[in-house]
Amino acid sequence: MKRHVLIVGAGASGMTAAIHAAREGAKVTLLEQKERPGKKLLSTGNGRCNLTNRDQKDEYYRCSQAGFPASALGRFSAEDTLEFFGRLGIVPKDRNGYIYPNSDQASSVLDALVQELEHLGVRTVCRCPVTKAAKEGETFILSSSQGRFRGDALILAAGSRAAPATGSDGSGYRLAQGFGHRLVTPLPALVQLRCREKHYKRLAGVRSEAGVRLFADGKLLAEDRGELQLTDYGISGIPVFQVSRYASMALHRKQDVTARINFLPNMDQRQAEKLMDQRRRDLGDRTCIQWMNGLLNSKLSAVLLFLAGIQEKQPVKSVSRSQWNRLRELMTDYETGIAAANPFENAQVCCGGVDTRQVKEETLESLLVEGLYFCGELLDVDGICGGYNLQWAWSSGAAAGRSAAAG
């Protein structure tokens, strides 16, 4: 008799787990609370689906248990992902190591997965939120809005709390806790940060190449560089997303969190001082706002001048040395207080989740309940931007699906 594998959550990891379990000969039932599978997948990569990234390093994946993600990632690598989707008809497009479908449509990836589920005979039940999961003897029993389901193995792939409108509402955490699993507190990650200062309304819409360093109680936590986006409430963009998980965690610990921004990321303060001296010699007969022209965005220039105590129409020659020093500091080491991370509704993923210290890293099977498996965002694993969270979905889904089918 075929082993019957139940899977809760038809997102990227859940569908992958279902495909691999079915390929191993298992009977598979996939339960999804939304009206269709893969709703969150459609929004990845701004609708283009950044499938994976050729540049793979352990440090691109974060977890409270150092090294835990490496096992699944090693067993189903980025190259395995390309082969997997190639067999499903997806032609890859390589953008400097960032891999997308050649169609530039996330819907193509979702359609390929759904077609494979159908081809393998996976039973997919949508509009089916699971309210309770239990194990009686050797059988897992799920209670749902569409009745009870029984199986020999259970994979929880219900996602995190990030982007709950797509189905990641945290319900998987409750199911895991029902089996005795503990959680590392889920917090928003890959998310915008809200700042304390009042002048951000003047900066809304500004984009600037910048370096961002994040501190908690004066200690450097993380840093990144890229296109910074300024909003009416604070800071956003890829470099902010990359450090945001550490801000969420520090704020949760009630620490004082600040970010320091270098708007001239190719320069340190000494190099910036040389540049300013040269510009003063070349443009000494201008006003200060004219002097700033071509150096930084005009809206950003106006705010930095204001913070330095310099009037926009003030002649360059009348600016004091202390004012110049303050302006240089603002351009290369601007400090802003972080009041909060944006909520789960705005987050791409979460940090935290099911504690991996209670999960076998090779198979992703529970150490507490035989036959129970986890994959995807439900676990305390999150990646940086650039296709890494989807790679974790594919890798962990493959590991859980194969293991659950084998028993």
Side-chain angles (χ1 to χ4, degrees):
M1 179 181 252
K2 285 186 177 182
R3 185 170 171 83
H4 188 185
V5 177
L6 302 174
I7 302 175
V8 179
S13 67
M15 287 187 287
T16 305
I19 289 169
H20 283 278
R23 287 180 178 176
E24 293 295 321
K27 176 184 176 182
V28 181
T29 300
L30 179 60
L31 307 179
E32 169 56 44
Q33 66 176 339
K34 303 300 287 185
E35 67 281 359
R36 61 175 297 185
K39 189 168 183 179
K40 188 172 184 179
L41 184 61
L42 293 174
S43 64
T44 60
N46 292 319
R48 294 181 299 157
C49 191
N50 186 182
L51 280 168
T52 187
N53 200 304
R54 291 191 184 276
D55 179 19
Q56 292 286 324
K57 294 179 182 176
D58 290 347
E59 59 262 35
Y60 296 161
Y61 298 88
R62 290 84 170 257
C63 177
S64 297
Q65 185 183 6
F68 177 86
S71 180
L73 292 163
R75 286 174 166 80
F76 194 85
S77 66
E79 292 304 315
D80 293 322
T81 295
L82 294 178
E83 181 181 353
F84 173 71
F85 281 103
R87 288 179 59 191
L88 300 184
I90 298 298
V91 176
K93 179 186 291 186
D94 189 328
R95 292 193 175 97
N96 298 317
Y98 295 74
I99 307 299
Y100 296 84
N102 197 59
S103 64
D104 270 334
Q105 291 180 296
S107 58
S108 299
V109 177
L110 176 56
D111 288 347
L113 291 168
V114 170
Q115 289 166 19
E116 183 68 359
L117 292 171
E118 294 171 350
H119 173 72
L120 292 168
V122 172
R123 182 189 179 194
T124 302
V125 185
C126 295
R127 295 187 174 91
C128 187
V130 175
T131 55
K132 184 179 179 181
K135 188 178 183 185
E136 297 182 5
E138 298 300 311
T139 303
F140 288 93
I141 301 174
L142 302 180
S143 301
S144 77
S145 62
Q146 296 197 39
R148 304 180 94 193
F149 297 84
R150 296 173 180 268
D152 306 302
L154 171 62
I155 301 174
L156 294 181
S160 62
R161 291 184 63 191
T166 65
S168 296
D169 60 1
S171 56
Y173 297 140
R174 294 190 292 274
L175 297 178
Q177 288 176 307
F179 287 106
H181 277 268
R182 62 177 173 259
L183 299 182
V184 175
T185 303
L187 298 168
L190 300 188
V191 72
Q192 308 88 351
L193 298 177
R194 293 183 168 270
C195 297
R196 301 188 194 119
E197 294 80 8
K198 303 298 185 184
H199 53 254
Y200 279 94
K201 291 186 184 300
R202 297 173 58 187
L203 293 170
V206 171
R207 293 171 180 257
S208 174
E209 184 73 14
V212 178
R213 294 182 296 153
L214 187 80
F215 295 82
D217 292 342
K219 180 182 178 181
L220 178 66
L221 298 182
E223 58 186 312
D224 205 83
R225 175 177 166 175
E227 186 182 68
L228 178 74
Q229 298 175 26
L230 300 175
T231 71
D232 60 356
Y233 57 79
I235 54 178
S236 181
I238 297 299
V240 174
F241 282 15
Q242 304 290 44
V243 304
S244 60
R245 75 181 312 271
Y246 301 103
S248 288
M249 294 168 67
L251 289 164
H252 182 70
R253 295 191 296 264
K254 307 298 184 185
Q255 292 180 282
D256 179 50
V257 181
T258 58
R260 303 185 80 94
I261 300 170
N262 184 355
F263 292 107
L264 300 173
N266 294 318
M267 304 180 191
D268 57 24
Q269 291 222 9
R270 184 174 180 179
Q271 292 168 321
E273 184 174 9
K274 288 181 64 176
L275 174 67
M276 292 175 71
D277 287 343
Q278 183 62 51
R279 290 176 69 87
R280 284 204 303 275
R281 288 192 293 270
D282 295 340
L283 304 170
D285 58 345
R286 312 292 171 87
T287 65
C288 289
I289 195 63
Q290 290 173 335
W291 181 89
M292 292 286 286
N293 182 56
L295 182 59
L296 295 174
N297 178 281
S298 58
K299 289 167 68 173
L300 176 60
S301 294
V303 169
L304 296 184
L305 286 172
F306 170 77
L307 294 175
I310 301 171
Q311 296 179 15
E312 292 182 27
K313 295 184 178 180
Q314 184 175 342
V316 167
K317 293 178 180 178
S318 70
V319 178
S320 68
R321 173 55 63 179
S322 62
Q323 288 175 316
W324 281 121
N325 289 340
R326 176 59 178 151
L327 181 60
R328 185 192 70 244
E329 290 173 359
L330 288 165
M331 288 194 290
T332 59
D333 197 28
Y334 165 83
E335 184 176 52
T336 185
I338 306 300
N342 262 353
F344 291 109
E345 286 76 8
N346 301 104
Q348 293 184 19
V349 297
C350 287
C351 57
V354 172
D355 193 334
T356 59
R357 286 164 288 200
Q358 296 179 322
V359 179
K360 298 177 184 178
E361 63 183 71
E362 298 86 2
T363 62
L364 302 186
E365 184 180 15
S366 167
L367 287 167
L368 308 181
V369 181
E370 185 178 357
L372 173 64
Y373 300 82
F374 304 93
C375 60
E377 289 184 37
L378 188 65
L379 286 160
D380 173 31
V381 177
D382 59 287
I384 64 173
C385 291
Y388 297 100
N389 287 289
L390 275 182
Q391 182 58 54
W392 172 246
W394 316 133
S395 296
S396 61
R402 291 168 177 170
S403 302

